[in-house]
Amino acid sequence: MDELAAVPVSQAPTQSRTSDVIIEATGVTKSFGDFQALSGVTMSVRQGEVVVILGPSGSGKSTFVRTLNRLEPHDGGRIVIDGIALTHDVKDIEAVRREVGMVFQQFNLFPHLTVLENITLAPIHVRRWPRDKAEQVARDLLDQVHIPEQADKYPGQLSGGQQQRVAIARALAMQPKIMLFDEPTSALDPEMIKEVLEVMQDLAQTGMTMIVVTHEVGFARAVADRVVLFDEGTIVEEAPPEIFFTAPKHERTKRFLAQIL
Amino acid sequence: MSGLTRAVEGWREEWATMRHQARLRGPVWIAWQVALSVAALGLIGLVVYGLGAWAFGAADWTVVAANLRLFSVGRYPADEIWRPATVLALVTAMSGWEAGRTGRAALARFFGGGLAVLLALPFLAPLVSGASPSMAAAFAAFAGGHIAQLAALGALAAAWWIGARASAWASTNRPRARRLERASLVGYGLVVLAILILLRGGGGLERVSPSDWGGLLLTLLLAAFAIVLSFPIGVLLALGRRSSLPLVRWVSVAWIEVIRGVPLVTVLYMASLLLPLVLPEGWNPENVAKAVAGLTAFASAYVAEDVRGGLAAVANGQYDAAKAVGLGTVGMYRLVVLPQAIRAAVPAIAGQFISLFKDTALVLIISLRELLGIAIVAANQPAHIGRFRETLAFIAIIYFAFTAVLSSASRRLEAPAHERERDDAPAPSPKG
């Protein structure tokens, strides 16, 4: 569970983070048929902040993160990303998605493309970069996630940890302002979790705004500026990790922590 | 060679399995097996003996030998035969070019070999016809009488080889290969245009009415055009079927279901009789064009269903990932979803196209004389009256040869797809 205990922790300098709000969600609701997945979620995230979302399965944490780049349209409330309100407007949605990278539990790499092609696809076809530039950026990113030698392989030839690092590189290639992580290590074998968390921690230290849905408490302790507990579609508790894990206010949080710690 | 060793290996395995079974199941089972085997062998022997006795005895292959031109190009004027021949050379060089460009060496060799065998087929008919006097004399006559054709075959092989080499060289560096891909697409368009102009005439060439096209030439033209046209239409129909616009969805569903609920013969009649009513006054397309329209309409509905199956095989996460990196709907389908869906649908689509190739025989009913039509015409000539068995056997061999090439090629197309198409779920063991 505590994968990061062995990792040298050097907390990013918080003073460099500005207080500009980049994600503003107000009273967000979402239901699937009769099931109310989100019942009024309000959260704001400042630029450079790392927010870790915890919660039992079915608590709506993944759904919430997926509404932030409108992979799930929300039913009610208001979401503003970097000054753009998410509505049905396709132009706005695509503009938001260009600025928001996402990493999935199942990696969702494109199996018919090589690692390099996975990473350069969006920069070439969405950002309209020349291929040379896109490939240069992609190779730099592969260096950054420590797998430069895998550029010409197909996703099916990589281990889970490697695939997830490629997925992170793919999301970063669009040079997003925000990164969403939807249980990035839940589908990984235990020995591969650390390599992915390390990459995420490095990313946090560059000042990237991150929202991370995870069960990795060690990561939350070491990297998060704020930890949020979801339950039954709402936020139960929201606090800096020092307080969240040692002195939680709510009974629900205590019960949750008792189960996972 | 490796094919032979593999076959021998296979027989050995079967033999071992059988012995194992015999030990397990005892003498009654063995007796049964022996009885069944003897019966089957006897039946096969009867058929082979009957066919052989007929082919080398009673059969008179002069009907085929005398009508080779009809079988290959129909009533295309004798003086203009160089035009279909040039078309053949163009297509051959093009397939060589494509093989070299895509670097599919196995596929390339296969197409090259297959093509050569197919082209040699018409020339083998006189050999069979000469079987009655003596094999040796027939060979001599074949070699002597067909030096020109053999030279032409050689030229075709050379065209193919040069195409393959040139494009393989040209695609050795990546930016050049990408430019080449675009140029090739334009080039193929131009070649198709050139083929049509060559065959139809005009622009200084004597005009040859499409109603004079026939035989293998017509069969191949119909199949090729119907295949090339029905593929994109089928893909669009499959996408239309899942469109969020009701009108698009209804039209696609109606098209697919109506066509699939109706025999091809009906579709061809419709194309022949109804198309002129729908089209503007005074614009009555050639029968060949109507046949292509009918075949295309028919095949597109089936391709659409195959692609729908392929689309169902694409994981939902792929859509999420494509959207999340900022691709719009068009980019998502073009770059992420369709390449995977089509690859998954290749076996089904290939089967569809093989059926389509054989189905071209049905254009007989709108009075086009492709292979089957010619087989009937030839057997009705006064000199060869009633020689249906010979002509039908001959075209059966040609159909079989082509479908065999098509199905082997499709099997080879599937292979690299399977190799790459792995689930992007976590690999069982870490490799890094």
Side-chain angles (χ1 to χ4, degrees), chain A residues 54-56 217 229-232 236-237 244-245 247-261:
Chain A
L54 301 174
V217 173
L229 181 74
F230 262 65
D231 193 33
E232 295 181 346
V236 175
E237 176 140 11
F244 185 94
F245 291 109
K249 277 194 228 106
H250 295 266
E251 202 50 40
R252 182 72 190 89
T253 314
K254 285 175 193 162
R255 259 188 293 134
F256 179 76
L257 289 176
Q259 274 166 1
I260 62 166
L261 287 178

Side-chain angles (χ1 to χ4, degrees), chain A residues 66 71 94 97 100 104 106-112 122 125-126 131 154 156-159 162-163 170 174 187 191, chain B residues 178 317-318 320-321 323-328 334-336 339-340 343 420 422 424-428 430-432:
Chain A
R66 287 167 61 85
L71 287 185
E94 287 178 7
R97 285 176 181 163
V100 178
F104 301 88
Q106 296 295 340
F107 328 139
N108 296 345
L109 292 177
F110 305 130
H112 61 301
H125 292 280
V126 179
R131 187 175 292 268
Y154 284 88
Q157 298 169 299
L158 304 184
S159 73
Q162 291 171 330
Q163 289 192 52
R170 176 177 70 178
M174 287 292 283
E191 72 269 30
Chain B
R178 231 168 277 122
Q318 293 293 309
D320 286 349
K323 288 178 197 159
V325 294
L327 290 172
R334 185 171 70 89
L335 300 166
V336 175
Q340 296 181 57
R343 201 166 277 166
R420 287 179 190 178
R422 300 245 183 82
D424 58 351
K431 289 168 208 161

Side-chain angles (χ1 to χ4, degrees), chain B residues 29-57:
Chain B
W29 183 81
I30 295 174
W32 254 113
Q33 291 298 306
V34 170
L36 282 176
S37 301
V38 167
L41 278 177
L43 212 62
I44 293 169
L46 267 179
V47 171
V48 170
Y49 177 78
L51 276 179
W54 169 74
F56 293 99

Side-chain angles (χ1 to χ4, degrees), chain B residues 15-74:
Chain B
W15 181 238
T17 320
M18 230 157 70
R19 282 177 46 170
H20 181 66
Q21 292 249 332
R23 265 200 303 280
L24 282 177
R25 299 187 184 215
V28 178
W29 183 81
I30 295 174
W32 254 113
Q33 291 298 306
V34 170
L36 282 176
S37 301
V38 167
L41 278 177
L43 212 62
I44 293 169
L46 267 179
V47 171
V48 170
Y49 177 78
L51 276 179
W54 169 74
F56 293 99
D60 179 0
W61 294 101
T62 47
V63 59
V64 172
N67 288 303
L68 270 186
R69 208 181 78 227
L70 267 185
F71 276 108
S72 48
V73 294

Side-chain angles (χ1 to χ4, degrees), chain B residues 45-384:
Chain B
L46 267 179
V47 171
V48 170
Y49 177 78
L51 276 179
W54 169 74
F56 293 99
D60 179 0
W61 294 101
T62 47
V63 59
V64 172
N67 288 303
L68 270 186
R69 208 181 78 227
L70 267 185
F71 276 108
S72 48
V73 294
R75 282 186 293 154
Y76 210 91
D79 293 344
E80 306 291 332
I81 287 289
W82 65 271
R83 281 151 62 173
T86 311
V87 167
L88 193 60
L90 274 173
V91 172
T92 313
M94 195 162 84
S95 75
W97 177 266
E98 182 64 17
R101 195 177 64 75
T102 52
R104 289 211 168 97
L107 197 65
R109 266 199 302 275
F110 192 80
F111 264 122
L115 213 59
V117 170
L118 294 174
L119 295 173
L121 257 185
F123 307 122
L124 290 179
L127 186 63
V128 180
S129 71
S132 17
S134 97
M135 243 354 160
F139 263 114
F142 177 64
H146 297 277
I147 283 173
Q149 282 97 324
L150 286 174
L153 262 184
L156 283 178
W160 188 87
W161 190 80
I162 290 168
R165 278 298 134 134
S167 57
W169 172 80
S171 41
T172 43
N173 96 18
R174 289 187 68 190
R176 195 162 58 194
R178 231 168 277 122
R179 278 199 302 276
L180 198 68
E181 192 171 337
R182 248 165 269 156
S184 293
L185 273 180
V186 177
Y188 294 156
L190 291 178
V191 169
V192 170
L193 207 67
I195 286 174
L196 284 179
I197 291 173
L198 264 174
L199 289 178
R200 292 181 58 102
L205 287 173
E206 193 189 326
R207 233 180 95 59
V208 177
S209 162
S211 54
D212 286 341
W213 304 354
L216 186 58
L217 172 71
L218 184 58
T219 296
L220 291 179
L221 272 178
L222 290 173
F225 273 90
I227 286 171
V228 169
L229 292 173
S230 66
F231 182 69
I233 296 176
V235 171
L236 287 178
L237 283 172
L239 293 177
R241 190 165 190 155
R242 48 158 61 193
S243 166
S244 54
L245 305 170
L247 189 67
V248 174
R249 195 168 60 240
W250 292 334
V251 168
S252 306
V253 171
W255 178 275
I256 293 168
E257 295 306 328
V258 167
I259 297 265
R260 285 187 350 126
V262 164
L264 175 55
V265 183
T266 323
V267 177
L268 286 173
Y269 269 126
M270 297 273 221
S272 162
L273 299 175
L274 289 187
L275 214 53
L277 299 182
V278 183
L279 291 172
E281 193 80 23
W283 199 57
N284 189 9
E286 294 282 355
N287 261 356
V288 173
K290 289 185 205 162
V292 167
L295 290 168
T296 302
F298 188 75
S300 66
Y302 287 87
V303 169
E305 285 300 275
D306 295 338
V307 173
R308 181 159 82 132
L311 284 169
V314 177
N316 282 333
Q318 293 293 309
Y319 295 86
D320 286 349
K323 288 178 197 159
V325 294
L327 290 172
T329 308
V330 175
M332 175 173 77
Y333 275 99
R334 185 171 70 89
L335 300 166
V336 175
V337 177
L338 278 179
Q340 296 181 57
I342 289 171
R343 201 166 277 166
V346 159
I349 293 175
Q352 207 53 63
F353 287 157
I354 288 169
S355 298
L356 181 64
F357 176 76
K358 292 178 292 175
D359 286 344
T360 55
L362 281 173
V363 301
L364 184 68
I365 57 146
I366 54 174
S367 54
L368 288 174
R369 298 275 172 260
E370 42 61 72
L371 274 177
L372 181 60
I374 297 292
I376 292 169
V377 167
N380 280 319
Q381 290 165 343
H384 311 291

